[in-house]
Amino acid sequence: MAQQLPYSSPLSYYSTSKGRHISLTSRNGLLLLVALLVILGVFLPWARSPLFLFPNRTSSSSLPTNWRNYSLAEAAKFVAKDGTVIVCTVSYPFLPFLNNWLISVSRQKHQDKVLVIAEDYATLYKVNNKWPGHAVLVPPALSSQTAHKFGSKGFFNFTSRRPQHLLQLLELGYNVMYNDVDMVWLQDPFQYLQGSHDAYFTDDRTRIKPLDHSHCLPPPDRNGVTYICSCMIFLRPNNGAKLLMKKWIDELHAGSKAYEGNDQPAFNWALNKTAHQLDLYLLPQAAFPTGGLYFKNKTWVEETKGKHVIVHNNYIIGYNNKMKRFHDFGLWLVDDHAFESPLGKLE
């Protein structure tokens, strides 16, 4: 016959090692209860913090004490995984969008590769305080007070440095993915980056393509231009990708007046002028739709359901308008899922 254990009431704890009851209403029981509550009170908030959920792979002793001295080369070495870095450029007003994007990246298990290129010191310190080592500032710093509107001079100053950052990372030998932070990942995009092409990119036009469309650079329109998006790019560290970045920089400098407010036309001219020297790859429209298609064509979205990988919240101007649209489509993740981001909840 099995040995019968002594009866234990809901308000008592039975210790098999001591063979006696400890009542939770007794002095020892109350002390035990208080100790458990203290341990839970200390541990649980820490366990939900970003540093617990997303621990650093390198000890803090290897990081600088002054983030102003942290170089792009040091930052890339710290975050790179399998020779790849995922880059975004962010100014302080867009930290909520950064956090929203990071939640979606974390859901695909690629957050460790992310490097935030801060455009102001407020962003540099905020990100590195929450997530040490994952932000760097390449001088000069811009003003942290304004959320620059698309087409403004401030927006151009913000985006026109992008090819310089990307070129430097390529020169350091890394594969580089660039994303704007008004994007949300729904699936893992790396499954579409197979092969050894120099550059991968998306078409920003809203005209619907067949699912088996060509992956070549689209032909120019009647005005002789293409409309490739400069907000989602993947580059391999070879001569072709470096040539494309150098040509983009040249185009920006040569046409600074014409391009003021938008660096994308310069990117398209660079693509068209170097296409014969590069191995280019146009990503599938169904997987990487422009905002003018995804948010405005319900029929197409339903027909391509399950194929969407990265959604871009473009074809809309204004910080609040972008945020509202994400809310309306269930893609504003920050309010309910902040702890899925390495930055946690931003105050």
Side-chain angles (χ1 to χ4, degrees):
M1 179 183 293
Q3 182 181 4
Q4 185 177 0
L5 292 175
Y7 168 76
S8 180
S9 75
L11 295 178
S12 67
Y13 165 73
Y14 181 76
S15 173
T16 56
S17 63
K18 298 294 184 181
R20 61 186 176 83
H21 290 279
I22 299 176
S23 173
L24 294 182
T25 58
S26 68
R27 182 173 180 273
N28 288 339
L30 289 173
L31 287 174
L32 177 63
L33 184 60
V34 169
L36 287 171
L37 290 173
V38 169
I39 291 171
L40 291 173
V42 170
F43 175 75
L44 286 181
W46 178 71
R48 295 186 70 201
S49 75
L51 291 180
F52 180 81
L53 296 172
F54 306 95
N56 289 314
R57 293 174 290 119
T58 304
S59 66
S60 58
S61 62
S62 66
L63 295 172
T65 55
N66 185 346
W67 293 115
R68 288 175 181 249
N69 299 330
Y70 194 40
S71 70
L72 186 61
E74 290 174 309
K77 183 179 180 180
F78 179 73
V79 306
K81 189 174 181 182
D82 300 325
T84 299
V85 179
I86 302 171
V87 177
C88 61
T89 54
V90 182
S91 61
Y92 195 80
F94 278 92
L95 281 178
F97 281 89
L98 169 64
N99 221 17
N100 197 68
W101 174 74
L102 274 175
I103 292 169
S104 71
V105 174
S106 298
R107 289 178 173 181
Q108 305 304 324
K109 312 300 182 187
H110 287 292
Q111 72 281 351
D112 282 351
K113 303 184 189 74
V114 170
L115 177 59
V116 178
I117 298 183
E119 294 291 351
D120 51 72
Y121 286 112
T123 301
L124 175 70
Y125 287 113
K126 186 72 171 181
V127 173
N128 280 336
N129 181 55
K130 292 270 192 175
W131 196 24
H134 282 267
V136 66
L137 188 146
V138 180
L142 303 180
S143 169
S144 63
Q145 302 305 313
T146 307
H148 301 297
K149 291 183 178 180
F150 178 85
S152 68
K153 185 175 181 180
F155 181 86
F156 177 73
N157 290 337
F158 174 72
T159 59
S160 62
R161 302 198 295 174
R162 183 187 326 176
Q164 298 172 11
H165 302 324
L166 299 182
L167 177 60
Q168 188 173 349
L169 290 166
L170 292 173
E171 295 284 8
L172 290 168
Y174 297 105
N175 299 307
V176 184
M177 175 186 281
Y178 176 84
N179 274 194
D180 274 2
V181 294
D182 60 344
M183 294 182 170
V184 168
W185 290 22
L186 302 178
Q187 297 183 51
D188 186 344
F190 283 89
Q191 62 185 307
Y192 291 90
L193 305 177
Q194 303 303 316
S196 56
H197 307 286
D198 296 331
Y200 302 69
F201 47 82
T202 64
D203 197 343
D204 222 8
R205 294 197 183 278
T206 58
R207 182 176 61 83
I208 296 174
K209 301 177 185 291
L211 292 178
D212 60 348
H213 68 74
S214 168
H215 297 291
C216 297
L217 181 69
D221 62 15
R222 67 182 66 181
N223 297 316
V225 296
T226 51
Y227 205 54
I228 299 303
C229 186
S230 60
C231 307
M232 158 58 201
I233 311 169
F234 183 77
L235 305 164
R236 299 202 184 276
N238 50 35
N239 291 334
K242 294 173 189 176
L243 174 64
L244 176 59
M245 292 300 101
K246 290 174 183 177
K247 192 61 179 176
W248 189 3
I249 293 168
D250 290 344
E251 286 294 318
L252 283 168
H253 290 163
S256 58
K257 290 288 186 183
Y259 299 141
E260 191 165 298
N262 185 7
D263 71 336
Q264 188 161 297
F267 178 62
N268 277 266
W269 282 117
L271 275 171
N272 281 273
K273 291 180 179 181
T274 59
H276 63 288
Q277 298 171 268
L278 273 65
D279 181 359
L280 302 174
Y281 188 85
L282 176 66
L283 291 163
Q285 183 186 54
F288 301 87
T290 183
L293 185 56
Y294 183 86
F295 294 108
K296 296 184 178 183
N297 192 324
K298 293 181 180 179
T299 301
W300 179 86
V301 169
E302 187 60 32
E303 290 174 348
T304 56
K305 188 175 181 180
K307 299 182 182 297
H308 314 132
V309 176
I310 294 183
V311 174
H312 188 194
N313 195 358
N314 62 346
Y315 275 81
I316 191 170
I317 296 176
Y319 183 98
N320 292 330
N321 293 332
K322 283 179 179 284
M323 187 180 291
K324 182 180 184 304
R325 184 199 257 175
F326 267 158
H327 270 291
D328 292 345
F329 282 79
L331 295 174
W332 188 250
L333 311 173
V334 172
D335 293 343
D336 299 323
H337 305 281
F339 283 103
E340 292 183 49
S341 164
L343 298 180
K345 189 164 183 146
L346 296 174
E347 301 297 338

